[in-house]
Amino acid sequence: MIHVHNFIDGKYQPALSGATIPNVNPSTGQVYGTIADSDENDVNLAVHIAQKAFPAWSQTSLDQRFAILNRIADIIDNKMDELALAESTDNGKPLWLSKKVDIPRAASNFRFFATAIKHFSSESYYDHPATLSYTLRQPIGIVGCISPWNLPLYLFTWKIVPAIAAGNCIIAKPSEITPVTASILGEICNEAGLPAGVLNILHGTGPNTGNAIVSHPDIKAISFTGGTATGKHIISIAGPMLKKLSLELGGKNAAIILDDCNYEKMLKDTVRSAFSNQGQICLCTSRLLIQDTIYDRFKSDFTHLVSQLKVGQPLETNYKIDQGAIVSKQHFDKILSAIELAKEEGGIVLAGGNKITLPPPFQDGYYIEPTVIEGLNQECRTNKEEIFGPVVTLQKFSSLDEAIQLANATGYGLDTVIWSSNTDTIHYLANNAQSGIVWVNCWLVRDLRTPFGGVKQSGLGREGGWDALRFFTESKSVTQQFL
Ligand code: NAD
């Protein structure tokens, strides 16, 4: 049994009330640990500690921050096996994926912002005859970071690192569904010499712990990644308190596939963009829009490849699995009911569509076949609502206008993927896509300097690069007139 405690003032401790919630291993469906369930008393304590740490931390030199953040990255690299095993056990994702993507990206987040803070600059203006104006970018103070379960350490660090680099002290909450790697990060930060109280990690449910963080009057900014409904709830509390907010929310992303694309690359990458991490990435393409001239060819080739994907227990080493377990029973049931809804709406299942029962001891784990559905128009719920699982739909288009109209016909606007070799087509579609991110002839290629975020119901604000450092600082204009 693994007992996940809060990390406050550089020390591990249970929730003050002693309350815990169970932690379930999604590959077996069995409880394998407990998680502290923190309430407002734990948040009050953590804020008090963070306030004590803030004056010293906000005054550290950039060299000191650079050194500590890089040391944390090095320790993450050294603990790769331990962290990857913890991530895949907690989340259900294939072990190779944790090793290839999640844990290396967590280390990259530290290295990226260690360097970025040394290059972060602000504007200055001169006006005749003798006026100089410049901008100071100062840390906000105590900030809250709340992250989801799909890329646990990857997204947790994507939020906390720019906040630390900018000189803030943090109250952070990972998802209660996948808390283990964030918990291990506490001891890594101690080993790297991050002063106690700079990063405080509280565990617990959203309504209990998350709500207490969002409502705390001394937490001045909230960076949140998760579902759109939760994001709206957070706005309803933090908005009237005039907190700074960055919200990275859900998606229902389209891939637009034209007949002049590099077909083989598109096919391979589209399988990946649809089913990576069991389809549980906010950026996954869940709606594939295909030009009518290649629809039948694509349908046949894609369905064939998808039906060959291997689903297995996340730590499988006898053969390479493509998909592991769905993260929780609740999410597993939600995905299966979305597949049933698609059938009721008239969808035809071309591949998958069922749950999978693996041999013991994994018979109670949460496994679903990669699923491909056609025959649904853009007006149905299946094509409008986020499923966040291994389920994609195919739709046909015959003109660029129809393609972009279909791509934009949801309430979400996170990313759009374009497959074409015609630059006019690419620019037309990229220009008209209602999304914060466009990938052309690729998917999930991330340059951490670029702004990251969505439009419409997919979010508010941008993360990444300077945007993250601007979010975690307050700008102050100073104007001096020379005598
Ligand atoms: P969620 O909204 O249920 O939970 C996210 C986090 O918010 C968790 O830590 C949770 O405990 C906390 N939370 C829940 N209720 C809260 C409340 N009332 N107050 C404060 N905190 C609360 O989302 P999830 O199920 O963990 O994640 C899946 C969702 O996240 C999907 O919609 C997905 O698209 C989205 N997501 C978006 C991005 C992005 O960058 N846009 C990235 C990953 C995931």
Side-chain angles (χ1 to χ4, degrees):
M1 293 286 273
I2 295 175
H3 301 288
V4 172
H5 294 315
N6 290 334
F7 179 76
I8 301 175
D9 205 12
K11 296 183 272 298
Y12 289 96
Q13 60 176 74
L16 293 171
S17 68
T20 62
I21 46 176
N23 193 10
V24 174
N25 178 336
S27 76
T28 60
Q30 304 302 311
V31 172
Y32 81 111
T34 63
I35 308 163
D37 193 13
S38 314
D39 60 24
E40 66 264 24
N41 292 322
D42 301 277
V43 176
N44 286 339
L45 173 64
V47 169
H48 174 68
I49 294 298
Q51 283 169 330
K52 283 207 308 190
F54 178 69
W57 180 249
S58 58
Q59 300 297 317
T60 45
S61 69
L62 297 185
D63 275 350
Q64 282 172 290
R65 293 183 210 167
F66 176 83
I68 292 170
L69 295 177
N70 274 308
R71 276 204 295 277
I72 296 174
D74 291 344
I75 301 171
I76 290 175
D77 284 347
N78 293 339
K79 287 185 186 278
M80 164 69 83
D81 287 345
E82 179 194 344
L83 287 165
L85 180 62
E87 200 73 298
S88 287
T89 306
D90 222 17
N91 172 279
K93 66 178 69 202
L95 185 60
W96 65 261
L97 188 63
S98 293
K99 286 189 181 175
K100 191 174 163 204
V101 176
D102 292 75
I103 309 306
R105 172 59 190 275
S108 298
N109 290 339
F110 279 94
R111 292 203 176 90
F112 177 79
F113 284 110
T115 307
I117 195 65
K118 294 193 72 163
H119 295 265
F120 190 39
S121 62
S122 55
E123 316 83 31
S124 72
Y125 306 96
Y126 182 78
D127 195 8
H128 293 287
T131 306
L132 174 68
S133 298
Y134 61 93
T135 306
L136 291 174
R137 292 200 190 276
Q138 300 178 314
I140 295 171
I142 315 305
V143 301
C145 297
I146 301 176
S147 57
W149 49 256
N150 64 325
L151 301 165
L153 192 63
Y154 173 138
L155 288 176
F156 186 74
T157 52
W158 182 235
K159 295 192 169 303
I160 62 162
V161 187
I164 297 171
N168 300 285
C169 291
I170 325 300
I171 312 298
K173 192 192 96 59
S175 170
E176 65 275 27
I177 299 170
T178 54
V180 176
T181 48
S183 176
I184 297 171
L185 186 67
E187 72 197 42
I188 294 176
C189 290
N190 280 347
E191 192 181 333
L194 185 74
V198 173
L199 173 63
N200 302 282
I201 304 170
L202 296 185
H203 297 278
T205 65
N208 197 14
T209 319
N211 219 55
I213 293 173
V214 173
S215 314
H216 197 291
D218 295 330
I219 298 179
K220 301 293 184 196
I222 300 289
S223 174
F224 168 80
T225 298
T228 297
T230 314
K232 288 181 181 176
H233 176 73
I234 287 174
I235 292 181
S236 75
I237 296 171
M241 297 175 85
L242 301 184
K243 296 191 185 206
K244 241 181 150 177
L245 278 176
S246 170
L247 304 174
E248 301 293 340
L249 309 176
K252 188 73 182 174
N253 312 303
I256 305 175
I257 300 170
L258 290 118
D259 62 7
D260 59 4
C261 69
N262 176 333
Y263 187 82
E264 293 309 319
K265 179 171 175 5
M266 175 278 296
L267 198 57
K268 197 162 133 269
D269 282 12
T270 303
V271 173
R272 208 168 53 84
S273 73
F275 296 110
S276 285
N277 205 39
Q278 300 72 245
Q280 302 167 141
I281 302 180
C282 52
L283 304 161
C284 276
T285 53
S286 55
R287 296 180 297 133
L288 307 183
L289 312 179
I290 304 124
Q291 192 164 8
D292 51 4
T293 43
I294 54 165
Y295 184 87
D296 290 339
R297 178 183 173 203
F298 176 86
K299 171 177 149 182
S300 156
D301 292 343
F302 184 73
T303 306
H304 175 69
L305 284 183
V306 171
S307 59
Q308 291 184 324
L309 292 176
K310 293 196 170 47
V311 181
Q313 66 101 350
L315 311 185
E316 183 66 67
T317 50
N318 292 327
Y319 58 94
K320 184 170 182 222
I321 57 161
D322 300 290
Q323 272 192 200
I326 300 299
V327 74
S328 67
K329 174 78 167 72
Q330 191 189 14
H331 196 53
F332 173 77
D333 289 341
K334 183 188 156 207
I335 296 168
L336 290 175
S337 61
I339 294 171
E340 286 313 305
L341 174 67
K343 289 187 205 161
E344 283 163 26
E345 290 183 317
I348 299 158
V349 177
L350 302 174
N354 302 300
K355 68 177 178 180
I356 298 175
T357 304
L358 293 183
F362 304 104
Q363 71 276 17
D364 295 324
Y366 315 131
Y367 302 93
I368 296 181
E369 292 172 337
T371 299
V372 183
I373 298 170
E374 73 164 356
L376 292 170
N377 67 27
Q378 187 47 48
E379 295 317 306
C380 63
R381 283 178 59 194
T382 304
N383 277 329
K384 293 264 189 215
E385 296 173 9
E386 185 181 46
I387 298 173
F388 212 55
V391 181
V392 290
T393 61
L394 310 187
Q395 293 179 78
K396 207 183 278 188
F397 68 84
S398 57
S399 69
L400 289 187
D401 285 341
E402 189 186 4
I404 200 68
Q405 185 267 326
L406 287 172
N408 291 340
T410 77
Y412 294 103
L414 194 48
D415 72 272
T416 308
V417 179
I418 299 165
W419 289 98
S420 171
S421 57
N422 181 317
T423 50
D424 288 347
T425 301
I426 290 168
H427 290 309
Y428 173 78
L429 293 175
N431 194 35
N432 287 288
Q434 292 171 354
S435 60
I437 299 162
V438 175
W439 274 298
V440 180
N441 297 329
C442 63
W443 175 73
L444 202 47
V445 176
R446 286 284 295 126
D447 182 326
L448 301 187
R449 294 168 297 184
T450 58
F452 179 94
V455 301
K456 301 197 286 191
Q457 304 276 307
S458 289
L460 199 64
R462 293 291 179 272
E463 296 185 334
W466 304 141
D467 286 274
L469 292 176
R470 288 194 188 111
F471 177 75
F472 285 115
T473 50
E474 284 288 7
S475 46
K476 182 188 284 176
S477 294
V478 182
T479 299
Q480 179 178 3
Q481 212 159 48
F482 299 103
L483 298 175

